[in-house]
Amino acid sequence: MRPRILQVCAVDFTARRFLLPLMRAQRAAGFGVELACADGPELAAVEAEGFRCHRVPFRRSYNLPAHARAWRALGRLLARERFTVMHAHTPIAAAIARPCARRAGVPVVLYTAHGFYFHERMRPALRRAHIALERWAQRHADYLFTQSEEDLAAALAAGIAPAGAAEWIGNGVETARFAPEQFGPEELARARAELGIEPGDHPVVAMVGRLVREKGYLELLEAFARLRADYPRARLLAIGAALASDHDAAGATIVERARQLGLGESVIFAGLRGDVARLLALADIFTLPSWREGMPRSIIEAMASGRPVVATDIRGSREEVVAGETGLLVPVGNAGALARALAELAADPERARAMGAAGRRRAAELFEERLVIGRQQARLRELLAERGLEWPAG
């Protein structure tokens, strides 16, 4: 029987949008790969690729009874199925899955921190509580991967994991999939027509992110309103929607704020899309004014698309964006600084294009998906060998 890996995350969106490339690579290597996460519509696409999906009622909340139910369900699954490897993702699911897997005797227990929930602007007492939880949960795991170098440094400094049991793997995308030259003039013209963007509209500012407060949408709308004072034909393309698991009903507030600011049709709420690469090819500038991130994939996608990036100076984003070279960094929550940065790039298209080209080179060198997957596969091979377990024959 070939060794089996169970990938675990809280929500179906994460599974489909972020974990599928790793799952495909592990299956290609010869592992039996399965998924455990909360039920949701995105699981149909995962199952359509032949992956078995186990519905575990994870909840992104502080609801302890709900977490107890998820613990019991996952415990029963792990006791019944006997996986070789359990690989956890996302804070809530990972906090439950690590001790649960160790209790069930899973030989190799891994955790990828896509971004620790604690951050530098969190209230000190709450930050200490989240660090303590991560420290306790990681005691039940064998290895920690972090996508951000800052997260690795934080994990080592806080004693979440020892230096010999943690490493940075980065984050990445299949950069060729975002190459803007794949979309010819006719295709881009159709995309503009679908969205109502006229040929003379400039600048087109794009953002990809869930429609929630912490992504910085309200500050972005304020900044965009100021930008339009000098660029009345500017357009803002907001790509994304709130998830059912988001405890933030700000979507209507964000749309209403755009109306209050008189932005009208200059703001395009495109919703959740499957053609992000095509839409990024329409943009002059990409922005992500988040309050907190792990290692945002949307910035890497924008860089791979050759777009200059204006982002907030936070963990993850500042690791991807080289200020003054591939984009600009601004303080969190500062609409004025955000407006000035957008205006700076709008006023100098040649500089913006040069930043976009530099970002594309950086994405190809550092954030190629196969490199990130390769680092994980290499470490997993070593961990299996340490336990006398064989890598599958393929």
Side-chain angles (χ1 to χ4, degrees):
M1 182 180 294
R2 59 181 178 169
R4 299 167 69 199
I5 296 178
L6 181 68
Q7 296 289 343
V8 181
C9 64
V11 297
D12 57 321
F13 180 88
T14 300
R16 183 186 180 189
R17 306 286 170 153
F18 301 131
L19 301 188
L20 265 179
L22 175 61
M23 293 169 66
R24 293 175 187 130
Q26 291 174 335
R27 182 169 61 184
F31 289 96
V33 184
E34 299 176 29
L35 171 72
C37 77
D39 198 7
E42 301 274 10
L43 291 186
V46 180
E47 290 177 321
E49 293 201 26
F51 293 105
R52 185 183 180 193
C53 296
H54 304 274
R55 274 70 172 174
V56 175
F58 293 116
R59 289 276 298 277
R60 293 171 63 206
S61 72
Y62 290 105
N63 186 324
L64 294 180
H67 298 333
R69 288 191 292 273
W71 169 280
R72 290 192 295 270
L74 183 60
R76 288 192 296 269
L77 170 65
L78 291 171
R80 182 178 70 247
E81 298 291 340
R82 313 306 298 175
F83 292 96
T84 312
V85 180
M86 193 285 300
H87 191 165
H89 309 260
T90 65
I92 292 294
I96 294 170
R98 282 173 282 178
C100 202
R102 183 57 78 221
R103 182 180 183 185
V106 177
V108 179
V109 179
L110 306 174
Y111 172 39
T112 293
H114 296 252
F116 288 124
Y117 191 78
F118 61 86
H119 55 87
E120 61 267 29
R121 286 173 303 283
M122 184 178 274
R123 294 196 311 274
L126 187 59
R127 187 174 191 274
R128 287 193 296 270
H130 279 282
I131 289 174
L133 177 61
E134 286 287 358
R135 190 184 294 129
W136 170 79
Q138 190 59 24
R139 289 197 189 108
H140 301 276
D142 298 298
Y143 211 83
L144 169 68
F145 295 125
T146 72
Q147 293 193 327
S148 160
E149 290 183 335
E150 285 189 46
D151 273 344
L152 177 60
L156 297 179
I160 292 171
E167 72 177 285
W168 167 87
I169 57 168
N171 196 2
V173 302
E174 186 182 350
T175 56
R177 194 160 58 86
F178 291 89
E181 60 268 18
Q182 68 184 295
F183 305 106
E186 292 183 359
E187 176 67 17
L188 294 181
R190 282 195 298 272
R192 290 191 187 93
E194 290 170 12
L195 297 167
I197 299 174
E198 299 292 336
D201 290 342
H202 175 80
V204 176
V205 179
M207 174 171 168
V208 179
R210 295 172 5 256
L211 207 62
V212 294
R213 283 182 178 83
E214 70 175 11
K215 289 297 181 180
Y217 275 106
L218 294 174
E219 300 94 274
L220 176 56
L221 291 173
E222 299 286 345
F224 186 70
R226 301 183 194 190
L227 180 69
R228 286 190 72 228
D230 294 320
Y231 296 90
R233 295 195 64 177
R235 305 300 297 271
L236 175 59
L237 178 56
I239 306 165
L243 304 180
S245 59
D246 282 320
H247 301 284
D248 186 331
T253 301
I254 292 166
V255 173
E256 173 60 17
R257 186 57 183 152
R259 188 195 65 78
Q260 292 172 353
L261 290 168
L263 297 177
E265 295 182 355
S266 67
V267 178
I268 303 161
F269 291 102
L272 196 61
R273 303 283 296 228
D275 61 344
V276 172
R278 176 172 173 255
L279 300 191
L280 287 175
L282 303 177
D284 300 299
I285 304 166
F286 179 84
T287 188
L288 186 66
S290 285
W291 303 351
R292 68 177 186 92
E293 287 286 342
M295 194 70 173
R297 189 169 296 196
S298 62
I299 287 180
I300 301 172
E301 292 172 349
M303 291 166 63
S305 299
R307 307 303 107 180
V309 177
V310 176
T312 36
D313 188 5
I314 58 173
R315 172 189 64 191
S317 297
R318 59 177 165 244
E319 195 169 316
E320 294 168 347
V321 178
V322 180
E325 182 180 325
T326 68
L328 302 171
L329 296 172
V330 300
V332 173
N334 191 323
L338 181 57
R340 289 190 293 274
L342 293 173
E344 184 177 330
L345 295 183
D348 193 345
E350 284 301 316
R351 185 185 182 210
R353 280 192 286 271
M355 283 184 167
R360 190 174 180 189
R361 291 192 296 272
R362 181 172 172 80
E365 291 169 4
L366 298 178
F367 305 121
E368 180 62 52
E369 186 175 75
R370 60 179 173 77
L371 300 177
V372 178
I373 292 173
R375 293 176 191 123
Q376 294 173 81
Q377 298 285 70
R379 183 60 62 194
L380 178 56
R381 184 185 289 270
E382 292 180 1
L383 290 168
L384 289 172
E386 288 172 6
R387 287 152 182 77
L389 301 170
E390 294 186 2
W391 188 263

